[in-house]
Amino acid sequence: MMQAGTAGVGANPRLQIAGERQSGQDVRTQNVMAVSAVANIVKSSLGPVGLDKMLVDDIGEVTVTNDGATILKLLEVQHPAAKILVELAELQDAEVGDGTTSVVILAAELLNRANELVRNQIHPTNIISGYRLAMREACKFIEEHLAMKTDKLGKETLMNCARTSMSSKIVGAEGEFFAQMVVDAVSKLDPLTLDLKMIGIKKVTGGGLRDSFLVDGVAFKKTFSYAGFEQQPKSFSNPKILLLNIELELKAERENAEIRLEDPAQYQSIVDAEWNIIYDKLAKCVASGANIVLSRLAIGDLATQYFADRNIFCAGRVEEGDLQRVAKATGARVQTTVN
């Protein structure tokens, strides 16, 4: 641990670094205190009767949660040792999705007990070896007495896991309703990969918790639309879908653009060239046989009306995650050109 200061007189001239090096029991105690302080913040939010935390950031945005990873992420922890706990909670959230508060409290308690052993003249290496031995024995006990093969787990067991995870969340009051929805959603994933990125969650303002529903497919929020969108068909049977990562609109000229012409008639040819480029792109989209055109970038008013006249549905500025889910669900590939 380095603290700002001035190197003392008579220091080794080869180590002239502005700062003061600290080590030993004092530093260990400071690290343990920092970790314990972080654990105490989230400790009261543990369990089904845990308390929610209200956090307000620099711009005044309010977050109410009892999720350990969310709380630690919003705290903006600066202490190096405490940052390790934040990373631990984030890793637990990414790998398991639950138990973020528990791992923080457990890690802090292990550090507290280890610090007491160091005070009793037990070398840290021996303590680490003891912890690793305990970890192996704990994993062995779990595998022999607690673990069950997933093929033996019925739907009711999955429902219990979902209820337990949500019992301490804001939606805990409707735990049964959401547990059923979560199990149904996960059951539709590929059992070999279980890629949770294939499950999208869309938040819509208004309504109650029980207005939530599961879409057996891919859903995304209505994107910005131009005139002509209402004329487009909204229902298809076995459609062809075209996924794009290109703009389908006329771009505005730059303010500092300069074009020198010898004949005024040439200006019209430049304007016509721009229109021909966009019409050529649209014609190739139609020629592909697609009934639905989705793009991550903008689809302008000209393209919207063009597709509407040909009974093609289009949507621009679709979120990247939604576009990838459509690609995975249909086997399509996102195209960066129409040529």
Side-chain angles (χ1 to χ4, degrees):
M1 177 178 178
M2 302 296 293
Q3 291 186 347
T6 304
V9 178
N12 191 331
R14 292 177 296 177
L15 298 176
Q16 292 296 331
I17 300 176
E20 180 182 348
R21 185 167 186 243
Q22 293 184 350
S23 61
Q25 184 58 44
D26 291 341
V27 177
R28 280 194 291 268
T29 302
Q30 292 175 16
N31 290 338
V32 172
M33 289 177 61
V35 169
S36 298
V38 172
N40 289 334
I41 293 175
V42 298
K43 185 180 293 185
S44 59
S45 64
L46 179 65
V49 293
L51 304 177
D52 290 341
K53 303 289 184 182
M54 177 182 291
L55 301 102
V56 184
D57 60 14
D58 297 337
I59 60 176
E61 186 174 346
V62 179
T63 302
V64 179
T65 181
N66 63 1
D67 179 65
T70 304
I71 294 172
L72 295 179
K73 189 183 300 181
L74 295 175
L75 285 179
E76 297 181 359
V77 178
Q78 299 297 327
H79 194 279
K83 275 186 176 180
I84 296 178
L85 281 193
V86 178
E87 295 173 358
L88 176 65
E90 292 176 351
L91 180 62
Q92 176 76 6
D93 190 37
E95 291 291 329
V96 181
D98 193 27
T100 53
T101 304
S102 301
V103 296
V104 170
I105 296 174
L106 180 61
E109 186 61 27
L110 289 174
L111 281 175
N112 271 315
R113 298 299 177 90
N115 192 39
E116 294 176 4
L117 295 175
V118 173
R119 289 177 181 274
N120 293 329
Q121 306 302 318
I122 299 178
H123 197 276
T125 304
N126 295 332
I127 299 174
I128 295 173
S129 298
Y131 277 168
R132 286 176 175 167
L133 176 61
M135 178 193 68
R136 288 193 294 269
E137 290 297 323
C139 292
K140 181 180 178 182
F141 181 85
I142 291 174
E143 290 178 359
E144 293 178 352
H145 299 89
L146 302 178
M148 294 178 61
K149 293 185 177 181
T150 55
D151 54 1
K152 296 182 179 179
L153 298 178
K155 188 174 181 179
E156 188 58 34
T157 304
L158 298 178
M159 289 283 293
N160 291 335
C161 293
R163 291 191 198 99
T164 302
S165 297
M166 289 185 286
S167 61
S168 60
K169 302 297 185 286
I170 296 178
V171 297
E174 299 289 350
E176 186 70 26
F177 175 75
F178 284 101
Q180 181 68 53
M181 187 181 300
V182 168
V183 172
D184 290 342
V186 174
S187 299
K188 297 180 184 299
L189 296 176
D190 185 349
L192 297 178
T193 59
L194 288 177
D195 187 3
L196 295 181
K197 293 181 180 178
M198 291 298 102
I199 298 179
I201 301 176
K202 300 301 173 187
K203 302 176 183 178
V204 181
T205 304
L209 291 176
R210 283 192 168 267
D211 292 331
S212 305
F213 58 92
L214 176 65
V215 176
D216 187 8
V218 181
F220 53 89
K221 286 187 178 181
K222 180 180 180 296
T223 58
F224 182 82
S225 58
Y226 293 92
F229 175 80
E230 291 76 10
Q231 303 172 24
Q232 295 178 354
K234 306 300 189 296
S235 179
F236 295 92
S237 177
N238 194 25
K240 291 183 178 180
I241 302 175
L242 176 61
L243 305 181
L244 299 174
N245 190 21
I246 59 175
E247 289 181 329
L248 293 177
E249 67 174 353
L250 289 170
K251 293 185 178 180
E253 295 291 346
R254 294 182 179 178
E255 295 180 358
N256 59 349
E258 180 179 345
I259 302 176
R260 296 186 180 184
L261 304 173
E262 296 179 357
D263 184 358
Q266 293 177 341
Y267 177 75
Q268 186 61 39
S269 65
I270 295 175
V271 175
D272 292 340
E274 292 179 332
W275 285 87
N276 290 335
I277 290 173
I278 184 67
Y279 274 120
D280 180 62
K281 290 181 179 179
L282 297 177
K284 289 179 178 178
C285 291
V286 175
S288 68
N291 307 111
I292 299 174
V293 179
L294 304 178
S295 178
R296 195 177 70 84
L297 302 178
I299 295 180
D301 52 353
L302 172 66
T304 302
Q305 187 62 54
Y306 186 93
F307 288 135
D309 294 340
R310 290 156 180 81
N311 292 324
I312 297 175
F313 175 84
C314 70
R317 298 189 178 93
V318 179
E319 293 182 9
E320 178 69 22
D322 296 332
L323 210 62
Q324 293 300 328
R325 276 189 284 273
V326 174
K328 285 286 186 70
T330 61
R333 292 184 178 180
V334 180
Q335 304 296 316
T336 57
T337 178
V338 293
N339 294 325

